[in-house]
Amino acid sequence: MKKLLLVEDMKFFNSLVEKHVRRNLDIDVVSCTNYAEAVSVLKNGFDDYFLAILDLNLPDAPDGQIVDLVIGYGIPSVVFSAQFSEDTRDQILSKNVIDYVVKQNPSSLDYLVSLISRLYFNANVKVLVVDDSTTARKYVMDLMKRYQFKVEEAENGIDALEMLEKHPDIRLVITDYNMPKMDGFELTREIRRKYPKHKIGIIGLSTAGSNILSAQFIKNGANDFLNKPFLREEFFCRVCQNVELIEYMDDLKSAATHDFLTGLHNRRFLNDIGSNSVARALRDDMPLSVALLDIDHFSKINNEYGHSAGDEILIQLGELLNERCRRSDVLARTGGEELCVIANNLPAHQCHAFFDGLRHMIEKHDFKAGQQTLKLTVSIGVCNHVHENFDAMIASAEEALLHAKKEGRNRTSIQTN
């Protein structure tokens, strides 16, 4: 587990930060109220600390000695102090701390907590830095690494496009304007032809900054623009705002296409992808199966053990099917205790064995509901004949499911026409 080092002589403040951080992040907060405690803690090991929050004025180290100590161990650090002057700020930032946050009001604490969260999650965000100047590129890369991002680099637009193909998980591109082979405008246009703003953010940079240049970058598809040289604090805020916007749009899209309980796809997504699957199967003469799975006597589980137990069962069932289904399959919860599987390119002669294998696996599995271990079965209805549209295949699968239930449940029924 990652650790956060918190060095602050006010215990009340420590408890506030701990409470906010532990509520949202899976990290261990280690609190120290003076310099000596911090020395002792770090001597016992420092590799697991992803971040340190440091007060400048401690009872036994009133002149910011704690910063030099922690930075010396290579731990990324944020200073949070009531002491502020331009000289102090410049001096502290020259030590390569991530940020200098002034204790002013409750909003300062809110900013600090959001900063900790951002730095924690940055480890999962990949950024591409594009600049033909090795020195300028390295400076931006060093900043991004200090902010805990995963960083890739390219020295011109053509190389950048190759890097995007090689690393499809890149979420942000920071590009200079004036580069050989392909400048920042051209690169931005090329990226936007393939990737919308909710997939990849773009921040333009230039030493020849002007309102016109900024407007041109934005018009070509960039999310933001900064003049060089820039203040580190502004750069970090702009970067984080753009990353958070992309994540927010991802969350909105996920909420629109996924079931809130199980995390599986929902009916809305299923209808869209199902129509595409049918069209592709008809066009390419490919086999396609659509199956409906219904938990047998699910109402008894809710009545005997409560709806929370039913929810736990549905979540576990979704996880179980996700593990067993193929990567090309689409799994969705269509409502209540009913799930749907679209099996793309599943040969007809393998259809019954595949879905009956799922049924048998579920029957043998031990499901947990609180302290209880439960067994359950499912009835499965399958349509393995490609119809003219997805609705027709769903109707055929429903007919097969009804037949499976009439035959006594816990069985797989196939509709071949």
Side-chain angles (χ1 to χ4, degrees):
M1 179 184 290
K2 290 183 178 181
K3 295 180 180 179
L4 171 71
L5 177 63
L6 180 57
V7 186
E8 162 66 57
D9 61 325
M10 294 178 59
K11 292 183 179 180
F12 175 70
F13 170 78
N14 283 3
S15 64
L16 278 179
V17 174
E18 287 185 39
K19 178 181 177 182
H20 282 80
V21 169
R22 285 180 170 147
R23 181 188 303 162
N24 301 303
L25 304 175
D26 184 25
I27 60 177
D28 184 20
V29 180
V30 178
S31 297
C32 302
T33 57
N34 56 54
Y35 184 89
E37 284 183 18
V39 170
S40 177
V41 164
L42 292 172
K43 282 183 177 179
N44 290 329
F46 57 89
D47 290 338
D48 292 334
Y49 290 99
F50 84 99
L51 183 66
I53 306 298
L54 310 173
D55 186 14
L56 285 181
N57 305 113
L58 300 172
D60 54 347
D63 299 316
Q65 295 94 329
I66 188 65
V67 177
D68 293 323
L69 172 70
V70 176
I71 291 292
Y73 280 96
I75 302 174
S77 301
V78 172
V79 169
F80 190 62
S81 175
Q83 178 181 337
F84 179 78
S85 70
E86 291 293 336
D87 289 341
T88 303
R89 171 189 169 280
D90 292 342
Q91 179 186 0
I92 293 301
L93 290 179
S94 70
K95 298 178 184 291
N96 291 327
V97 302
I98 292 175
D99 205 348
Y100 187 112
V101 183
V102 182
K103 296 178 184 176
Q104 290 179 319
N105 48 51
S107 65
S108 301
L109 178 60
D110 292 339
Y111 174 78
L112 179 66
V113 172
S114 67
L115 177 60
I116 294 170
S117 178
R118 182 68 266 161
L119 293 168
Y120 178 84
F121 288 112
N122 281 353
N124 299 318
V125 180
K126 187 175 288 187
V127 177
L128 175 62
V129 179
V130 191
D131 200 314
D132 62 311
S133 167
T134 302
T135 302
R137 188 169 69 247
K138 184 177 184 303
Y139 175 71
V140 176
M141 289 177 64
D142 287 345
L143 284 179
M144 299 306 289
K145 289 177 181 177
R146 194 178 304 164
Y147 303 145
Q148 311 295 302
F149 289 101
K150 295 178 181 178
V151 186
E152 302 292 340
E153 62 178 311
E155 62 180 21
N156 58 60
I158 294 176
D159 289 346
L161 293 175
E162 292 177 358
M163 290 297 293
L164 289 173
E165 290 289 335
K166 186 178 179 181
H167 299 276
D169 54 341
I170 289 173
R171 306 309 308 274
L172 181 67
V173 175
I174 301 173
T175 178
D176 189 37
Y177 163 61
N178 192 12
M179 298 183 294
K181 297 184 180 180
M182 180 183 288
D183 66 26
F185 287 167
E186 294 174 282
L187 173 60
T188 300
R189 284 196 295 268
E190 288 300 317
I191 292 174
R192 282 294 167 252
R193 286 175 184 170
K194 294 184 177 181
Y195 310 98
K197 286 187 176 182
H198 70 270
K199 289 294 184 183
I200 295 181
I202 303 173
I203 298 178
L205 302 175
S206 180
T207 53
S210 67
N211 291 335
I212 294 176
L213 193 61
S214 173
Q216 286 297 103
F217 254 112
I218 301 299
K219 286 181 178 180
N220 278 282
N223 300 66
D224 210 341
F225 175 82
L226 272 171
N227 290 316
K228 297 179 184 177
F230 46 73
L231 286 175
R232 276 176 40 194
E233 295 99 320
E234 181 184 9
F235 176 73
F236 180 56
C237 287
R238 296 282 191 96
V239 166
C240 288
Q241 284 175 357
N242 280 281
V243 170
E244 287 168 359
L245 182 60
I246 292 170
E247 291 173 343
Y248 178 67
M249 288 190 287
D250 270 351
D251 289 342
L252 284 177
K253 185 175 180 181
S254 178
T257 58
H258 288 77
D259 174 55
F260 74 96
L261 176 64
T262 63
L264 303 177
H265 292 299
N266 60 16
R267 182 183 290 274
R268 175 181 175 180
F269 178 87
L270 182 73
N271 288 335
D272 290 341
I273 201 71
S275 297
N276 293 336
S277 295
V278 171
R280 183 169 58 250
L282 290 171
R283 183 188 66 232
D284 299 335
D285 194 25
M286 291 172 50
L288 177 70
S289 296
V290 175
L292 294 176
L293 294 78
D294 192 86
I295 300 175
D296 296 326
H297 305 297
F298 186 67
S299 60
K300 289 186 178 180
I301 295 175
N302 285 330
N303 292 336
E304 291 184 23
Y305 301 100
H307 287 276
S308 61
D311 289 347
E312 290 182 57
I313 295 295
L314 286 167
I315 292 169
Q316 292 168 59
L317 178 58
E319 293 172 347
L320 191 63
L321 289 170
N322 254 329
E323 293 173 4
R324 182 64 181 268
C325 288
R326 306 168 306 161
R327 292 185 64 182
S328 59
D329 297 336
V330 178
L331 178 61
R333 181 186 179 200
T334 55
E337 66 271 26
E338 187 176 270
L339 307 177
C340 179
V341 178
I342 300 176
N344 293 290
N345 205 20
L346 178 66
H349 67 277
Q350 297 178 12
C351 185
H352 186 274
F354 176 73
F355 287 107
D356 205 53
L358 295 182
R359 181 197 62 77
H360 186 70
M361 172 191 67
I362 294 167
E363 183 181 20
K364 296 297 182 183
H365 187 75
D366 292 330
F367 291 87
K368 302 294 183 182
Q371 302 299 315
Q372 302 288 330
T373 298
L374 305 179
K375 291 288 190 178
L376 60 87
T377 62
V378 297
S379 299
I380 303 177
V382 186
C383 171
N384 73 345
H385 173 72
V386 183
H387 288 56
E388 66 278 7
N389 57 57
F390 184 62
D391 287 342
M393 294 194 71
I394 285 289
S396 179
E398 286 176 341
E399 188 176 337
L401 176 62
L402 183 61
H403 182 265
K405 287 182 174 294
K406 285 183 176 179
E407 291 296 311
R409 293 184 169 85
N410 189 24
R411 64 192 63 225
T412 300
S413 175
I414 308 288
Q415 272 293 80
T416 59
N417 52 47

